[in-house]
Every structure is written in structure tokens, then in C-alpha cells.
Amino acid sequence: MTASSPAQDPLPFWRATLFIIAAGCLLALLSFGIRASFGLFLEPMSSEFGWGREVFAIAIALQNLLWGLAQPVAGAFADRYGSGRVLTIGAVIYAAGLFIMANASTPGLLVLSAGVLVGLGVAGASFAIVLAAFTRLVSEDKRSWALGIGTAAGSAGQFLMVPLGQSFLSAYGWSMALTIFGFIALCMVPCAAALTGRSNKTSQFHQSVGAALSEAFRHPSYNLLVAGFFVCGFHVAFIQVHLPAYITDMGLNAGLAAWALALVGGGNIIGAYTSGVLGGRYSKKYLLSGLYLARAVVITLFITLPISEFSVLAFSLAIGLLWLSTVPLTSGLVAQFFGTQHMAMLFGIVFFSHQIGAFLGVWMGGYFFDVTGSYDLVWWVSVALGIFAAAVHWPIREQSVVRPAASG
């Protein structure tokens, strides 16, 4: 009688595993995809209001910084109060930022909307919180698959939403395009309903937050990882925001600029999945060194060879393959060093370093373009940072910390 009751009382469809995964993937796709299209709005907004590019750049730079600051806090609230609530609040703030950005006629309004509100909103509605929800809500036998498909969905957002954003921009202008994106962002709210639930606090090794932080910052390899991930943020934010304007500055079509960002997203799907597979078989630190060195080579070739439609698309695909491929390797090393008890917090600190790099990459792109009329200096800084990151990861020791046996 008892054995037959589960069959008689199935889970409602909105709590079934496949629905949870589908809802989470759609949310990750929209959250990541909408903000990936912001580079398309730099030139039309700056031109209409007579701003230098630094105005738009500082707003997006602030967005990246606030995202990094708020992400660990959003994760802690998700653990305590449930992912669904945090994702819902984040989606509403995100949409509000887009609606205000659509009417931002002053630098202050742009900073408030694209910078503050979208930065806080994307932290609450980020694919990082979606993935954390998957680990709680999806059965263990499907967990690895769910995390893989969730990461791919975030990358697919860039591939799909950037061309869509360019279509809206071409057909309706930048203001209406952002308004439409605001309504699309509200679609994340019903998706969040499927991702309710909070973490169960079960852990074999008990360590206070203070002890975990102290242990991490005394660990040389962790500090090298923090330094290296700064470079990742610098690269991806600078390219994502300024590549479309760079392409049109070089006399090529704005439609090509949109497809270039989309191709970065397409390559990213393949690169992120492949790096996760390779990280389970080979040394993560050497893979990371290789990835950053490859970025330096790809950027050097792009800015030194004659620019054409082919070179833009080839660069976009190549840099896309190297884009988020650093994430599974970097997060995997954090877990390898310290275990999973404080994984979200410790990776959150590494991610904050990423976002400081993102802030500087976006801001420097705008500032030096306004001062020199060119992105050349920032491209060469990107090359130098790629070489620096390749060197920084090389001496990392891929070993777990040794803890006293009797700590329980």
C-alpha cells in the first residue's frame, strides 16, 4: 500500500526534474544573453546624446563591479531563503534597470540603470544561482548533466540574444529595443518559481567562515588563482562591450558586430563544455596557462593582421572557445584545494577578482578611446595580461590543504 502511494501521488509538473532544468536553463539564457548584448548600445546611445564612450563604459564597469560584490551576498540569501525568491527579486530589479536605461537621457540615469540596478539584478538572477539551485533540487544521478546543460544555456543566451538585440535595435531604435528586453527579462520571474528550495546544511568537516577565509588567504595557490581570474574578467568585459564599436570604427557593418558577439557565445558553448571534460583528465593549472596564452596569441593576430569580415568572425570564434572555458577549471581548483563546505564563498571571492578586472577592462576601453581615439593601447594591455595569467597559473600546486585529523 505504501509502496504504491508515490505512483498515485506524483510531483506536480512544475516540480518535476525536467521542468526544473528547463526553467533554470531558460532563466540562465535570458539573464546572461540580455546583458551580453549591451555592447550594441554603446555607439547609438553615445552618439545620440553626444557622450564620450567613457560615460557608457563607466556604467557597464560599475555594473560588473556591483555584480561581483553582490554575488556572494545573493548566494548566501539563496541558501537561507531559497533560490526562487532571490531569482525573482533579481529578475524584477534587472527588468527595472532595463526600463530606466531605455529612457536614460543623462549620464546619471545611465549609471543608475545600466550600472547599479542591472548590476544588482544580474547578481540575483545569475546563472550561478541557477546552478546552485540545480545541485539542491535535481537528484544526484542527474546533477552533473544538469550543471553542464545549465552552463551551456548561459552561453547559448549570448549566441541567441545578441542577434535578436541587433534586430530590435535596427527595427525600433535603441530605446524601444531596451524596453522590449525589459519585458523579456520579466519572463525570468515565472521561471524562478520552479527553482524554490534552500540548502540542507550537512557537512562532515566543520570550519567557521573566519577560519576558511584565513586558510584560503594563507594558501599561495589560491592567491595565484585570484590574480589569474582578474585577467579573465578584464578580457571578456572589454571585448564584450567594446568589440562591436571597434568593428564599426574599422568601417565594417553593425550587423557583423552583432554576429561577432553571437559567435563568441557559440564558441563559448563548445569551449566551456570541452574544458570541463579536459579538466577531469589533465592538470587544470596547465590547461589554464594554455588558455590564457592562447588568448594572448589570438588577440595579437587579430589586431596586427588586416581586418576583414573573415578576420572578425575567425577572432570571435577563437576567443569564444577560450571565453568561459576558464570557469570550470578555476572553480574546480577551488574545490580541490578546500573541499565544498565553503565553496560558494571562496569561489565568490575569486569571482569578485574577475569582476574587478571586468570593471577596469570596460572603463579603460572607454577612457583610452576618448583620450587617444583608438582601442590599440587596451588591446596590447590585454595581450600582456594574457601572458601574465599564463605565468601566474604555472606554479599553482594542485593539492588539497592538509588539515588536522581530529578537527571534528
Side-chain angles (χ1 to χ4, degrees), residues 298-322:
V298 167
I299 292 170
T300 300
L301 290 172
F302 180 54
I303 60 176
T304 54
L305 293 174
I307 195 162
S308 65
E309 288 191 6
F310 175 78
S311 74
V312 167
L313 295 176
F315 169 76
S316 301
L317 179 59
I319 208 72
L321 291 170
L322 306 168

Side-chain angles (χ1 to χ4, degrees), residues 76-146:
F77 275 106
D79 284 341
R80 184 169 177 83
Y81 300 109
S83 297
R85 294 179 184 180
V86 172
L87 288 165
T88 298
I89 294 167
V92 171
I93 295 172
Y94 197 155
L98 289 165
F99 289 133
I100 296 172
M101 185 180 173
N103 298 283
S105 55
T106 66
L109 271 179
L110 184 68
V111 167
L112 172 66
S113 57
V116 177
L117 292 177
V118 175
L120 295 175
V122 79
S126 71
F127 76 96
I129 300 226
V130 169
L131 298 184
F134 282 177
T135 64
R136 292 193 285 271
L137 300 173
V138 175
S139 62
E140 198 164 345
D141 59 315
K142 294 188 177 70
R143 187 172 296 161
S144 180
W145 170 71

Side-chain angles (χ1 to χ4, degrees), residues 27-28 31-32 67 71 122 125-132 150-151 154 324 327:
L27 197 152
S31 175
F32 196 87
W67 179 15
Q71 187 67 74
V122 79
S126 71
F127 76 96
I129 300 226
V130 169
L131 298 184
T151 305
L324 286 188
V327 173

Side-chain angles (χ1 to χ4, degrees), residues 76-259:
F77 275 106
D79 284 341
R80 184 169 177 83
Y81 300 109
S83 297
R85 294 179 184 180
V86 172
L87 288 165
T88 298
I89 294 167
V92 171
I93 295 172
Y94 197 155
L98 289 165
F99 289 133
I100 296 172
M101 185 180 173
N103 298 283
S105 55
T106 66
L109 271 179
L110 184 68
V111 167
L112 172 66
S113 57
V116 177
L117 292 177
V118 175
L120 295 175
V122 79
S126 71
F127 76 96
I129 300 226
V130 169
L131 298 184
F134 282 177
T135 64
R136 292 193 285 271
L137 300 173
V138 175
S139 62
E140 198 164 345
D141 59 315
K142 294 188 177 70
R143 187 172 296 161
S144 180
W145 170 71
L147 293 175
I149 202 169
T151 305
S155 303
Q158 182 168 344
F159 182 69
L160 297 172
M161 298 300 289
V162 173
L164 190 62
Q166 181 61 43
S167 300
F168 292 154
L169 209 154
S170 301
Y172 308 115
W174 65 266
S175 180
M176 182 55 69
L178 286 167
T179 301
I180 295 169
F181 269 153
F183 284 110
I184 292 174
L186 288 175
C187 296
M188 293 189 280
V189 174
C191 295
L195 299 168
T196 54
R198 63 194 73 182
S199 68
N200 299 315
K201 301 200 174 195
T202 57
S203 172
Q204 333 80 325
F205 176 76
H206 293 291
Q207 184 184 43
S208 71
V209 168
L213 288 170
S214 173
E215 179 181 69
F217 285 119
R218 283 186 283 106
H219 194 285
S221 293
Y222 179 75
N223 291 318
L224 291 173
L225 206 59
V226 169
F229 214 42
F230 166 92
V231 175
C232 181
F234 188 99
H235 283 163
V236 300
F238 166 64
I239 292 169
Q240 189 171 68
V241 172
H242 292 285
L243 180 63
Y246 177 76
I247 291 169
T248 54
D249 287 346
M250 301 302 283
L252 297 171
N253 190 279
L256 175 67
W259 279 108

Side-chain angles (χ1 to χ4, degrees), residues 229-230 232-234 236 349-359:
F229 214 42
F230 166 92
C232 181
F234 188 99
V236 300
I349 292 165
V350 180
F351 182 75
F352 179 52
S353 171
H354 181 282
Q355 294 307 96
I356 294 173
F359 174 90

